[in-house]
């Protein structure tokens, strides 16, 4: 029987034979498959089926049906088959078209129903047919089943036949294809247009122009479809893509951002495209959520702005470490909390994740206050200020007076109903009421303002500034006129002396700057610079590594570059560059000589720590920012010898000498990292694996080896993640008076983690990590590596720097004083505290070393600092003043500042709107100095007394006092000079009228005014009113309004930070020029006033002797006979330039108050 007539036969046998019978009297058997299409074909013969299944097929089948095991009817296969109900079914391989064999078939038969099956206790009725599971345009099987009701021993007789059967069913009709093609035709899937006569050719280049093998090219859409993969040269070929200007394709490659492109419109049969991929950008928090203060029942919002390529697709929000329910709060990158409850107070942070990784934001604190609760505690905190030397207070038995201050906290003010990421107005706890008090001094009364009540006020707007110098790490040579980049954009340049000053943009969370030397002397250096988010300037000394002199390589040869800078020791690592591995920026293979400069920062030399790039952090897979421990950084620069064009390198091999890895557990975790100059974070390039190499016949060395490509990033790191982490608490003070009011903010504290020494074979001068933190109102918490098994496993050096000045640590010899150091015994002994001059007095006193012993949970004395475990950062940051901590202090300069309205220059937010404020306008600080020459064998203390001169609200009232001791000329023993600060004239805080400050310059002792700079005298005469100058022991003037210069002996500088303004003005005054700077007093240059002072009267004491006498417990104004000369060595700690502000006020965010004054100074 021919296969063409097979369908007709089935119908004839199936319907013709059964027409004489009722349809209810026949039924189909189950499907049978007793043969497979191997050998000659597939044979499903009736005799064989009966042999295996006995009575399951009737004696004379009425019809039969065949299908493949894939449920395709035999008539739809296109194969030649034979069918006969009396014989069976067969398909012969030789009868099929060339190259094709028979499918695997199953058959079933149509038989009359067995009447005995309907007897009582036999089969039950068939169930309904199941729903057809076929999709549109497809065929599937629906099933039904029945159960046997016979008893178990009768089932073989009464229940003959299958318990389940199936039948073919057709799915619903597919909707029509709406896709219309302007070129070509619609493909079978109806998802794209096809142009069979067009071929797309292309190439894919990775970052840096290197070939990108294995890149996937997909058709873009909701369900991208893989079309092809690039070959070993990065080339690809795709036939059938239409060049209609609408076909969109996507290129994907590991560690690169996906790239979408459209095939351009073309009439050619072939199109050629070149695709260059960019490195994938890991998620990076651009804006962290901001802390908020709300009342119960109000609404607030937290926002988390995260960048990345590809961009993050999922955001999660956490409250006190617990994941918030998205289905309830419906959040994305913004979290809105309505009808706030007290239980919702706490810390909130977000976690953003996507194809490129995950990152967590910093936590923001939500403070919730009850409806009737005071937003700020109205009772001021205690705050002591130091008084002038002649204002000793018998009541308190000290030179201190409590003026109070308001707490450093945000509060709930008058907010609108808008839901914003950042409140339109910020509110802080500030001064609500103040009162004036008179302090008794020797021969006069000193007015001061005391805080009596606090309230919620608008915060003072401030600006943050970073400034400093960029110099060579080896010689201190400045990087002149170098470029400074932030986020790839040039924001500033260094000056001739390497100086720079940058205002931190509003909303900056992490300040990442890259210093680029256009003279090519120094390695491009990326630094993460801490800054004071509350405002003010922070000084940073940027140490730069000098570029190594280039060597010449042949691109066609194999080249090895050794990495190691310590003489007498083997290299730490090496870079092996295979032949023909250099590429131009356009991806072409470079052939020729290469100028290679590789600069290695060797951690075995502790002097290189300050030149370390970035802050040695990376973001882990879960989004946490984690530390790295370095085994060396290297910067590479490959250039075309002739044209100087920068070159990239393909896969190179990096080998790290395993003997240099001092901690065995680091061997399996060593990785290669590259620095992202935009974020300042290190990103993984690859792992290093162990490999043993033979050198000679006997010497065997083990290396850690990894592969990497040198593309657009040129700074790399050999690091391991380290999880043994702690924090070290440090506070900085203005002097050796270790009191809360004497703390200094804005100091850059630095910790260098040293290589573990005891118990490990290592170089004791090697370092592993470098961290800096700026002190705030409660000190600083420095991250460090620590160990809980051995107290001396890790050690560290700690130092502090303020405005380029290294501050002094507390002494550890000849006797260890725990009360001065700030850490009690026995914990102090365990930490092995030593100042750097402990063993050699000639060494500077500006750092200390400690063991980083992780606090033991079983030792009560170790629970409260100064070292805190990593999870207790909040406890470290909020530790009370009496908790253990380490200390630095300034060597107190011979100067003293007193302001009637207290102000902390470390905290610009402490400014108060008051007519008697020394600085009348926040964020515009004007510093004024007058240079005074003293003809005397002694160094003389000089005071400036500053009062209101012409303003009706301040006339005759005291602004403040400045005391400064003169500095002896290095070449003339009978001459000294002093740069004395005075309050500048100008607008007061209300900006409505100027006041010319009445300044009195008063040398202490028996002095006579010799001369006044003629140009200054002429200016004062020509700018009336003219102050009365009848007393020749002093000088009085109404301070000039104009910014005069060195020709007048007046030095004026305006800056956004008070310390910066004073530092620059002092430098010019010392130098005696209007644009220079000096740290050595030049007594004959740019002098405004000259006094001659003779020997002091016996009945009069010097300012500082009175101070010493008062501190020693003497009361009153008793006379002390002083010698004419100072004992040798008494001023050994004294600097050429004056120190920081002697006593400033730490109060912040003050409000306007009644300016009326009745007292006179």
């Amino acid at each position: 029987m021919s296969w063409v007539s097979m369908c007709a036969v089935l119908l004839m046998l199936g319907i013709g034979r059964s027409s004489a019978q009722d349809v209810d009297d026949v039924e189909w058997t189950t499907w049978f498959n007793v043969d497979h299409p191997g050998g000659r074909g597939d044979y499903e013969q009736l005799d064989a089926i009966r042999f295996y299944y006995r009575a399951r097929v009737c004696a004379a089948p009425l019809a039969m049906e065949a299908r493949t095991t894939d449920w395709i009817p035999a008539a739809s296969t296109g194969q030649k088959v034979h069918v006969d109900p009396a014989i069976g079914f067969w398909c012969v391989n030789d009868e099929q078209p060339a190259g094709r064999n028979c499918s695997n078939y199953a058959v079933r038969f149509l038989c009359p129903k067995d009447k005995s099956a309907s007897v009582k206790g036999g089969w039950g009725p068939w169930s309904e047919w199941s729903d057809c599971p076929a999709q549109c345009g497809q065929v599937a099987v629906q099933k039904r089943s029945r159960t046997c009701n016979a008893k178990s021993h009768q089932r073989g007789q009464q229940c003959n036949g299958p318990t389940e059967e199936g039948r073919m069913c057709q799915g619903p009709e597919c909707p029509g294809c709406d896709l219309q093609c302007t070129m070509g035709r619609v493909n079978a899937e109806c998802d794209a247009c096809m142009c069979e006569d067009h071929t797309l050719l292309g190439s894919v280049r990775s970052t840096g122009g290197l070939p990108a093998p294995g890149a996937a090219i997909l058709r873009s859409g909701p369900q991208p479809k893989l079309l092809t993969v690039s070959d070993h040269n990065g080339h690809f070929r795709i036939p059938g893509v239409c060049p209609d200007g609408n076909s969109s394709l996507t290129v994907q490659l590991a560690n690169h951002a996906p790239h979408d492109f459209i095939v351009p419109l073309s009439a050619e049969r072939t199109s050629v495209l070149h695709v260059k991929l960019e490195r994938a950008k890991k998620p990076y928090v651009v804006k962290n959520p901001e802390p908020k203060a709300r009342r119960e029942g109000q609404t607030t919002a937290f926002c988390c702005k995260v960048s990345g390529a590809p961009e993050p697709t999922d955001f999660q929000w956490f409250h006190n470490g617990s994941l918030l329910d998205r289905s309830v709060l419906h959040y994305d990158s913004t979290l809105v909390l309505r009808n706030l409850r007290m239980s919702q107070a706490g810390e909130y942070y977000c976690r953003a994740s996507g194809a490129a990784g995950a990152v967590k934001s910093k936590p923001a604190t939500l403070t919730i206050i009850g409806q009737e609760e005071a937003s700020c505690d109205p009772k001021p905190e205690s705050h002591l200020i130091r008084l002038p030397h002649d204002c000793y207070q018998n009541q308190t038995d000290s030179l201190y007076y409590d003026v109070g201050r308001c707490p450093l906290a945000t509060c709930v003010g008058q907010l609108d109903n808008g839901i914003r990421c950042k409140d339109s107005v910020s509110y802080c706890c500030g001064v609500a009421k103040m009162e004036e008090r008179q302090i008794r001094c020797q021969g006069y009364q000193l007015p001061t303002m005391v805080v009596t009540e606090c309230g919620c006020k608008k915060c003072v707007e401030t600006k943050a500034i970073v400034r400093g110098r960029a110099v060579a790490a080896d010689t201190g040579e400045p990087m002149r006129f170098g470029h400074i980049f932030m986020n790839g954009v040039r924001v500033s340049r260094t000056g001739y002396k390497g100086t720079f000053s940058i205002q931190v943009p509003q909303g900056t969370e992490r300040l990442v700057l890259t210093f680029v030397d256009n003279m090519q002397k120094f390695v491009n250096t990326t630094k993460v610079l801490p800054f004071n988010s509350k405002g003010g300037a922070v000084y940073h000394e940027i140490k730069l590594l000098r570029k190594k002199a280039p060597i010449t390589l042949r691109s066609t040869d194999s080249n090895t570059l050794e990495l190691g800078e310590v003489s007498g020791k083997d290299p730490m690592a090496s870079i092996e560059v295979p032949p023909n591995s250099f590429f131009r920026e356009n991806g072409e293979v470079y052939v020729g000589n290469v100028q290679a400069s590789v600069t290695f920062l060797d951690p075995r030399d502790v002097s290189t720590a300050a030149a370390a790039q970035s802050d040695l952090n990376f973001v882990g897979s879960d989004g946490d920012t984690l530390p790295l421990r370095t085994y060396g950084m290297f910067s590479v620069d490959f250039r075309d010898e002739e044209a100087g064009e920068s070159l990239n390198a393909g896969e190179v091999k990096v080998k790290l000498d395993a003997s240099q890895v001092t901690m065995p557990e680091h061997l399996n975790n060593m990785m290669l990292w590259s620095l992202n100059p935009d974020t300042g974070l290190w990103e993984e390039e690859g792992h290093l694996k162990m490999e043993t190499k033979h050198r000679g016949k006997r010497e065997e060395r083990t290396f850690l080896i990894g592969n990497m490509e040198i593309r657009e990033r040129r700074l790399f790191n050999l690091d391991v993640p380290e999880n043994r982490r702690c924090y070290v608490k440090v506070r900085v003070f203005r002097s050796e008076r270790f009191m809360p009011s004497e703390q200094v903010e804005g100091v850059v504290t630095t910790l260098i983690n040293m290589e573990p020494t005891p118990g490990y074979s290592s170089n004791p001068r090697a370092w592993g990590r470098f961290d800096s933190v700026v002190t705030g109102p409660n000190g600083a918490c420095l991250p460090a590596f620590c160990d809980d098994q051995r107290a001396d496993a890790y050690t560290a050096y700690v130092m502090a720097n303020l405005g380029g000045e290294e501050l002094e640590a507390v002494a550890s010899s000849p006797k260890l004083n725990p009360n001065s150091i700030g850490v009690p015994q026995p914990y102090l002994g365990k930490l092995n505290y030593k100042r750097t001059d402990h063993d050699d007095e000639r060494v500077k006193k500006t750092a200390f070393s400690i063991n980083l012993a992780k606090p033991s949970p079983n030792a009560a004395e170790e629970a409260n600092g100064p070292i805190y475990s990593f999870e207790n950062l909040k406890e470290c940051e909020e530790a009370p003043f009496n908790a253990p901590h380490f200390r630095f202090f300034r060597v107190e300069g011979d100067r003293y500042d007193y302001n009637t309205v207290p102000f902390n220059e470390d905290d610009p937010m402490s400014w108060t709107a008051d007519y008697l404020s020394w600085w009348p306008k926040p964020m515009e600080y004007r510093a004024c100095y007058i240079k005074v020459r003293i003809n005397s064998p002694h160094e003389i203390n000089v005071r400036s007394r500053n009062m209101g001169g012409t303003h009706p609200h301040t006339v005759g009232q005291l602004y403040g006092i400045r005391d400064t001791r003169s500095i002896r000329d290095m070449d003339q023993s009978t001459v000294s000079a002093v740069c004395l600060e005075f309050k500048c004239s100008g607008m007061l805080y209300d900006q409505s009228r100027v006041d010319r400050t009445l300044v009195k310059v008063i040398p202490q002792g028996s002095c006579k005014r010799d001369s006044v700079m003629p140009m200054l005298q002429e200016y004062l005469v020509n700018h009336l009113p003219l102050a009365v100058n009848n007393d020749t022991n002093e000088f009085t003037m109404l301070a000039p309004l104009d910014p005069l210069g060195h020709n007048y002996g007046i030095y004026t500088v305006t800056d956004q930070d008070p310390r910066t303004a004073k530092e620059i003005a002092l430098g010019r005054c010392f130098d005696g020029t209007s644009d220079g700077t000096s740290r050595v007093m030049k007594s004959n240059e740019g002098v405004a006033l000259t006094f001659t002072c003779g020997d002091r009267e016996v009945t009069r004491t010097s300012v500082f002797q009175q101070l010493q006498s008062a501190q020693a417990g003497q009361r009153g104004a008793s006379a002390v006979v002083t010698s004419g000369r100072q004992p040798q060595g008494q001023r050994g700690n004294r600097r050429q330039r004056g120190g920081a502000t002697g006593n400033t006020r730490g109060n912040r965010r003050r409000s306007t108050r009644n300016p009326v004054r009745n007292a006179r100074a």
Side-chain angles (χ1 to χ4, degrees):
M1 184 180 297
S2 79
W3 68 276
V4 177
S5 59
M6 185 253 314
C7 292
V9 172
L10 285 174
L11 289 174
M12 260 177 38
L13 294 175
I15 297 177
R17 291 277 304 269
S18 62
S19 60
Q21 295 178 294
D22 192 354
V23 175
D24 293 335
D25 294 336
V26 297
E27 63 181 355
W28 286 99
T29 65
T30 56
W31 291 95
F32 301 104
N33 184 6
V34 296
D35 191 26
H36 296 280
R40 296 176 56 192
D42 189 17
Y43 294 84
E44 306 292 341
Q45 294 180 328
L46 184 60
D47 291 344
I49 293 172
R50 283 195 177 121
F51 176 80
Y52 288 109
Y53 297 101
R54 299 179 183 177
R56 293 180 58 178
V57 180
C58 56
L62 303 176
M64 69 179 299
E65 193 173 49
R67 62 162 176 80
T68 69
T69 53
D70 294 327
W71 295 92
I72 299 175
S76 301
T77 62
Q79 297 177 357
K80 184 176 181 179
V81 299
H82 307 271
V83 59
D84 187 339
I87 301 174
F89 170 91
W90 63 98
C91 175
V92 182
N93 288 335
D94 291 342
E95 296 177 351
Q96 309 310 317
R100 297 185 61 184
N101 287 330
C102 294
S103 300
N104 189 12
Y105 288 91
V107 298
R108 67 176 181 172
F109 299 91
L110 185 68
C111 292
K113 284 186 177 180
D114 187 357
K115 298 298 183 179
S116 62
S118 60
V119 300
K120 185 176 180 180
W123 286 112
W126 287 100
S127 66
E128 296 295 328
W129 288 103
S130 64
D131 294 336
C132 183
Q135 302 292 327
C136 75
Q138 297 180 351
V139 176
V141 176
Q142 56 184 159
K143 298 179 181 180
R144 67 176 182 174
S145 61
R146 59 182 176 176
T147 57
C148 181
N149 298 325
K151 296 181 180 180
S152 58
H153 65 278
Q154 297 178 331
R155 286 180 180 175
Q157 299 176 352
Q158 299 184 9
C159 296
N160 185 23
T163 59
E164 184 179 82
E165 67 177 4
R167 68 179 182 184
M168 295 178 61
C169 62
Q170 189 77 29
E173 291 187 6
C174 292
C177 181
D178 297 331
L179 180 63
Q180 295 182 354
C181 295
T182 59
M183 185 181 293
R185 62 177 180 82
V186 179
N187 65 2
E189 292 82 6
C190 189
D191 59 1
C193 297
M194 295 191 63
C195 296
E196 297 173 349
D197 58 347
H198 180 264
T199 300
L200 175 64
L201 302 178
S203 66
V204 182
R205 300 283 177 180
S206 63
T207 308
L210 302 180
I217 295 88
L218 305 96
R219 180 183 293 124
S220 305
Q223 296 181 338
K225 180 180 180 181
L226 178 65
L227 299 180
T228 189
V229 175
S230 61
D231 61 18
H232 66 285
N233 288 320
H235 298 156
F236 64 86
R237 178 180 182 275
I238 306 176
V241 177
C242 289
D244 54 5
N246 293 318
S247 299
S248 179
L249 303 181
T250 300
V251 181
Q252 295 180 354
L253 182 65
N255 300 322
H256 288 73
H259 181 83
D260 297 325
F261 66 93
I262 294 176
V263 181
L265 182 65
S266 174
E268 302 294 330
R269 297 176 63 87
T270 302
S271 296
V272 179
L273 290 176
H274 301 286
V275 178
K276 185 176 181 180
L277 301 178
E278 297 294 332
R279 185 188 295 264
K281 296 181 180 178
K282 290 183 175 293
Y284 179 67
V285 178
V286 178
K287 187 66 177 175
N288 287 293
E290 303 225 356
K292 301 288 181 69
R294 293 291 187 272
R295 290 198 180 275
E296 197 172 8
Q298 288 185 326
T299 298
T300 192
F302 292 107
C303 301
C304 183
K305 184 178 180 181
V306 180
S307 66
E311 292 186 353
T313 55
D314 182 60
F315 287 85
Q316 295 174 312
W317 282 93
F318 296 81
H319 174 221
N320 292 335
S322 298
L323 179 64
L324 295 175
D325 191 343
R326 191 197 310 268
S327 63
V328 175
L329 296 172
H330 308 289
Y331 57 73
D332 45 22
S333 61
T334 300
L335 170 68
V336 179
L337 302 174
R338 306 178 189 275
N339 194 22
L340 290 170
R341 305 180 304 276
M342 299 298 290
S343 60
Q344 290 177 289
E347 290 188 340
Y348 290 82
Y349 70 88
C350 80
R351 180 181 182 272
S353 58
V359 68
K360 291 180 181 177
S361 72
K362 292 180 180 178
T365 301
L366 174 61
T367 303
I368 300 179
I369 302 170
Q371 291 286 357
E372 305 301 325
E373 187 179 350
S375 183
C376 285
D377 186 354
K379 183 179 180 181
E381 299 175 347
S382 174
H383 183 70
L384 300 176
I385 63 169
R386 191 161 66 92
L387 302 175
H389 68 279
D390 50 0
C391 293
Y392 194 89
Q393 301 299 294
N394 293 323
Q395 299 90 337
T396 59
D397 198 27
S398 71
L399 278 169
Y400 288 88
Y401 194 85
D402 190 355
V403 296
R405 71 174 177 185
C406 296
L408 309 176
T410 57
C411 59
V412 181
Q414 299 297 321
L415 300 174
D416 55 27
N417 295 324
I419 299 176
R420 297 183 177 89
C421 299
K422 179 179 176 63
D423 292 337
S424 56
V425 178
S426 298
Y427 289 90
C428 305
C429 291
V431 176
K433 292 182 181 179
M434 296 185 79
E435 67 179 35
E436 183 178 332
R437 295 181 185 173
Q438 298 293 326
I439 301 173
R440 288 180 176 271
C441 300
Q442 294 181 16
Y444 66 96
Q445 288 195 339
L446 188 68
T448 190
M449 301 302 298
V450 177
V451 180
T452 58
E453 184 179 333
C454 299
C456 192
K457 306 292 179 181
K458 289 184 179 180
C459 300
V460 176
E461 292 188 5
T462 61
K463 296 179 181 178
I465 301 166
V466 293
R467 64 186 188 93
R469 294 176 68 233
V471 297
D474 51 359
T475 64
E477 176 189 354
M479 183 179 77
R480 295 188 171 99
F481 311 116
H483 301 289
I484 303 176
F485 290 86
M486 180 167 60
N487 296 326
V489 178
R490 194 181 77 178
V491 295
S492 185
R493 295 186 69 177
T494 60
Y496 180 77
K497 296 185 178 181
T499 57
F500 65 91
S501 180
I502 296 173
Q503 182 177 316
V504 181
Q506 192 74 22
T508 299
E509 303 288 345
R510 179 178 165 92
L511 182 62
V512 183
L513 300 178
T514 299
F515 295 80
V516 178
D517 178 24
N518 56 2
M519 304 297 291
Q520 296 294 316
K521 290 183 179 180
F522 305 109
V523 173
N524 292 353
T525 300
T526 298
K527 289 286 189 179
V528 180
L529 299 184
F531 61 94
N532 192 345
S533 58
K534 295 189 304 179
V538 175
Y539 183 93
H540 292 278
E541 192 94 352
I542 308 299
K543 301 291 187 180
L544 307 172
L545 282 181
R546 196 179 297 277
K547 272 190 176 180
K548 287 294 180 184
I551 61 174
T552 301
L553 308 177
R554 289 189 58 82
S555 64
T556 54
D557 296 341
S558 178
N559 297 282
T560 300
L561 303 168
E562 303 287 354
L563 304 178
E565 296 297 324
V566 179
S567 60
K569 293 185 177 293
D570 289 333
M572 286 277 295
S574 62
I575 303 174
E576 294 183 358
V577 185
N580 303 310
S581 294
F582 293 101
F583 294 82
R584 297 186 184 276
E585 293 289 343
N586 61 5
E588 295 179 1
V589 177
Y590 172 77
V591 178
N593 289 340
V594 178
Q595 290 290 296
S597 173
V598 179
T599 306
F600 184 63
L601 188 145
D602 199 325
R604 296 175 296 182
D605 182 0
V606 71
S607 66
T608 63
Q613 301 256 3
S614 182
D615 56 359
L616 285 174
N617 286 328
F618 75 104
V619 175
S621 58
D622 197 40
D624 295 300
T625 301
L626 303 172
L628 292 170
R629 183 256 187 253
T630 186
Y631 280 91
M633 301 179 189
F634 57 96
S635 170
V636 297
D637 186 16
F638 298 137
R639 293 185 180 273
D640 176 355
E641 185 180 50
E642 295 182 359
E645 176 190 356
S646 181
L647 301 175
N648 299 320
E651 191 168 275
V652 302
K653 184 175 291 186
V654 178
K655 297 169 59 177
L656 173 65
D657 188 350
S659 65
Q660 304 290 345
V661 181
T662 57
M663 304 184 74
E665 58 268 33
H666 287 173
L667 290 171
N668 296 325
N669 298 318
M670 190 70 64
M671 289 190 287
L672 276 167
W673 307 79
S674 66
L675 180 65
N676 184 333
D678 293 332
T679 65
L681 295 168
W682 294 90
E683 297 178 3
E684 182 183 340
E685 289 282 342
H687 285 261
L688 277 73
K689 298 181 180 180
M690 297 287 289
E691 183 175 315
T692 301
K693 295 284 185 181
H694 291 273
R695 297 178 62 188
K697 295 183 178 180
R698 298 185 178 180
E699 185 180 2
E700 181 179 273
R701 297 181 65 185
T702 302
F703 293 90
L704 293 168
I705 298 179
N707 297 319
M708 59 180 286
E709 293 179 343
I710 299 176
R711 298 173 290 183
E712 89 290 5
R713 294 185 183 173
R714 299 304 175 101
L715 186 69
F716 303 94
N717 205 349
L718 298 162
D719 279 24
V720 290
E722 180 61 271
N723 55 11
R724 290 176 288 187
R725 295 171 286 166
C726 289
Y727 289 96
V728 179
K729 184 73 172 187
V730 176
R731 297 180 189 268
V732 180
F733 299 85
R734 291 186 177 86
S735 66
E736 292 182 89
R737 295 180 295 273
F738 301 124
M739 303 172 58
S741 59
E742 292 290 313
Q743 291 190 93
V744 181
E745 299 182 43
V747 178
V748 179
T749 55
T750 300
L751 184 144
I752 302 176
N753 250 109
M754 304 303 293
E755 183 86 10
T757 49
Y760 298 95
S761 57
S762 64
N763 174 12
R765 291 189 59 80
W767 61 278
R769 185 172 173 81
F770 181 94
D771 282 284
S772 294
V773 177
V774 174
T775 58
N778 202 33
C781 293
L782 285 158
F785 296 145
C786 60
D787 193 81
D788 57 357
Q789 301 298 319
R790 296 190 54 161
D792 54 0
Y794 278 108
T795 61
Y797 280 102
V798 185
M799 58 204 73
N801 184 293
L802 177 62
E805 173 192 350
E806 294 179 325
L807 305 187
E808 193 165 304
V810 179
S812 59
S813 64
K815 183 179 180 180
L816 198 67
N817 187 343
N819 291 330
S820 297
I821 295 170
V823 181
Q825 294 285 23
Y827 197 19
L828 182 60
K830 181 178 179 180
L831 299 179
N832 193 28
Y833 175 93
K834 288 184 180 181
R835 195 168 69 175
T836 41
D837 67 338
H838 184 85
D839 298 317
D840 186 351
E841 294 181 355
R842 296 171 296 178
V843 177
K844 290 197 297 185
K845 308 171 183 179
T846 54
F848 64 82
S849 65
I850 54 172
N851 292 335
L852 291 166
K854 189 174 183 179
S856 170
N858 300 321
E861 67 274 9
E862 301 179 13
N864 298 317
I867 297 182
Y868 295 81
S869 58
F870 182 75
E871 58 272 11
N872 292 333
L873 173 60
K874 187 175 182 180
E875 287 80 355
C876 178
E877 293 177 333
E878 299 176 356
F881 183 80
N882 58 4
H885 57 268
F886 293 109
R887 295 167 175 169
F888 286 93
F889 63 93
R890 300 194 72 170
V891 179
E892 188 174 20
D894 295 333
R895 57 182 289 180
Y896 168 78
D897 297 354
Y898 174 81
N899 297 326
T900 299
V901 179
F903 172 70
N904 183 357
E905 291 178 0
D906 298 327
D907 181 13
M909 298 182 77
S910 66
W911 179 82
T912 302
D914 189 273
Y915 283 106
L916 288 180
S917 293
W918 185 274
W919 308 96
K921 187 177 180 181
M923 304 317 301
E924 187 176 305
Y925 299 96
R926 192 178 182 202
C928 294
Y929 285 83
I930 185 169
K931 191 167 185 177
V932 182
R933 172 183 164 128
I934 304 293
N935 295 319
S936 173
H938 310 292
E939 291 176 328
I940 302 297
N941 184 71
V942 184
R943 169 174 289 184
S944 73
R945 201 154 178 248
N946 304 268
M947 296 178 290
T950 60
H951 197 289
H953 283 295
T954 62
V955 62
Q957 298 185 65
L958 184 69
Y959 287 114
I961 293 172
R962 298 293 185 264
D963 286 341
T964 308
R965 177 177 279 182
S966 63
I967 298 174
R968 182 170 297 148
D969 191 282
M970 298 179 66
D971 300 321
Q972 304 174 71
S973 61
T974 61
V975 175
S976 62
V978 60
C979 289
L980 182 66
E981 185 185 8
F982 64 90
K983 186 187 182 306
C984 304
S985 295
M987 291 284 187
L988 299 187
Y989 87 94
D990 60 3
Q991 301 295 300
S992 64
R993 183 172 175 175
V994 300
D995 182 29
R996 289 189 63 185
T997 309
L998 183 64
V999 180
K1000 285 183 178 290
V1001 178
I1002 312 168
Q1004 303 293 302
S1006 178
C1007 299
K1008 180 181 179 181
R1009 185 177 69 246
D1010 287 341
S1011 64
V1012 179
M1013 166 72 73
M1015 293 184 66
L1016 175 60
Q1017 184 65 40
E1018 182 181 356
Y1019 177 91
L1020 296 175
V1021 170
N1022 292 333
H1023 293 77
L1024 300 177
L1026 184 65
V1028 178
N1029 259 307
N1030 294 329
D1031 190 347
T1032 58
N1033 293 327
E1034 60 187 37
F1035 174 76
T1036 305
M1037 70 174 179
L1038 287 168
L1041 283 168
D1042 299 310
L1044 306 181
H1046 68 286
N1047 290 330
Y1048 299 82
I1050 302 291
Y1051 303 87
T1052 305
V1053 172
T1054 302
D1055 197 86
Q1056 295 175 339
D1057 174 68
R1059 285 197 315 223
T1060 304
K1062 293 168 74 170
E1063 183 74 18
I1064 296 173
L1066 267 174
R1068 294 176 181 176
C1069 183
F1070 270 58
D1071 194 51
T1073 62
S1074 296
D1075 55 1
T1077 186
S1078 173
R1079 288 187 175 270
V1080 176
M1081 178 66 76
K1082 299 178 181 179
S1083 303
N1084 299 317
E1085 303 292 337
V1087 175
L1089 305 172
T1090 301
F1091 287 86
T1092 297
C1093 301
D1095 291 336
R1096 298 180 181 86
E1097 298 178 11
V1098 175
T1099 56
R1100 299 186 65 181
T1101 61
S1102 72
V1103 172
F1104 296 98
Q1105 284 173 331
Q1106 288 182 5
L1107 179 59
Q1108 290 172 352
S1109 299
Q1111 290 176 334
Q1114 296 184 16
R1115 304 294 180 262
S1118 58
V1120 178
V1121 179
T1122 63
S1123 62
R1125 288 193 175 273
Q1126 185 179 15
Q1128 185 176 0
Q1130 184 172 324
R1131 294 167 61 85
N1133 288 335
R1134 202 168 149 232
R1135 299 183 305 274
Q1136 281 289 311
R1137 287 270 293 274
T1141 302
N1143 176 53
T1144 53
R1145 177 72 183 277
N1147 184 35
R1148 64 187 280 182
R1149 307 179 183 93
R1150 303 197 182 282
S1151 63
T1152 305
R1153 60 176 181 275
N1154 189 342
V1156 177
R1157 302 285 184 271
N1158 298 317
R1160 297 288 184 268

